[in-house]
Amino acid sequence: MKESTLDRLTGPKLFKTVTNWEGIHSVPLVPLRVLSGVLMMHHGSEGGFWPANYGTPGFDGFVDFIIKPYFSFLPGDPSLWSAIHDYAEFWGGFLFAIGLLTRPAALTLLITMGAAVYFHLASTGWQGFPFGHVDNYSYNFEEPALYALIFLTFFFNGAGPLSLDGAIYQQIKTED
């Protein structure tokens, strides 16, 4: 029986990851995945411990100074988009850190970081990149661009064998 696109998106391949325990695929990528996920959780909890802390200065500032001026083209309430951003970073970061549903989490975080790169380029421009020297010694778009590359790597690579995805895949895989 031919495998449908839905089967590919929701079946065992959703959890498929690199299974090589040698080289860069196992141990060295674990701290990168975990730390990146934890840092995204921190970014997603602006204004409090949980995401979308309506009424806090951090949440309201994000709405007023980022969403409204730079993402006014999005339909609906700007607070909703701020909450979506917070939930994507907090829960996407959590799933990414523990290595569960890593590819969907990485894609969600990649899109969020793409929006962050857009915001920084729209607000401060290229800042003389690649040879300009800025006051804070890093370009404003530099951090989200690096995160985006990390998430892109894990989107294509998977979480690796030291992850919940890897453990699930070992239990449900149908190929030898």
Side-chain angles (χ1 to χ4, degrees), residues 23-145:
I24 189 83
H25 296 294
S26 60
V27 178
L29 289 182
V30 173
L32 180 64
R33 189 190 76 233
V34 172
L35 188 58
S36 297
V38 169
L39 289 171
M40 279 298 109
M41 289 175 65
H42 167 74
H43 282 281
S45 62
E46 294 170 309
F49 180 73
W50 295 106
N53 292 287
Y54 287 94
T56 62
F59 185 87
D60 291 342
F62 191 82
V63 171
D64 292 336
F65 300 113
I66 296 175
I67 299 292
K68 287 180 180 177
Y70 296 98
F71 295 94
S72 60
F73 58 86
L74 295 172
D77 182 19
S79 293
L80 173 66
W81 289 104
S82 183
I84 289 170
H85 157 268
D86 284 357
Y87 281 111
E89 287 189 349
F90 187 87
W91 292 111
F94 175 75
L95 291 171
F96 192 79
I98 65 172
L100 178 63
L101 299 172
T102 304
R103 283 192 167 98
L107 180 60
T108 302
L109 294 167
L110 175 63
I111 292 167
T112 303
M113 290 301 102
V117 169
Y118 160 75
F119 158 71
H120 287 293
L121 290 175
S123 65
T124 60
W126 287 96
Q127 298 174 290
F129 175 81
F131 301 114
H133 296 281
V134 292
D135 291 336
N136 64 353
Y137 298 102
S138 73
Y139 303 110
N140 288 342
F141 66 88
E142 188 175 316
E143 180 182 325

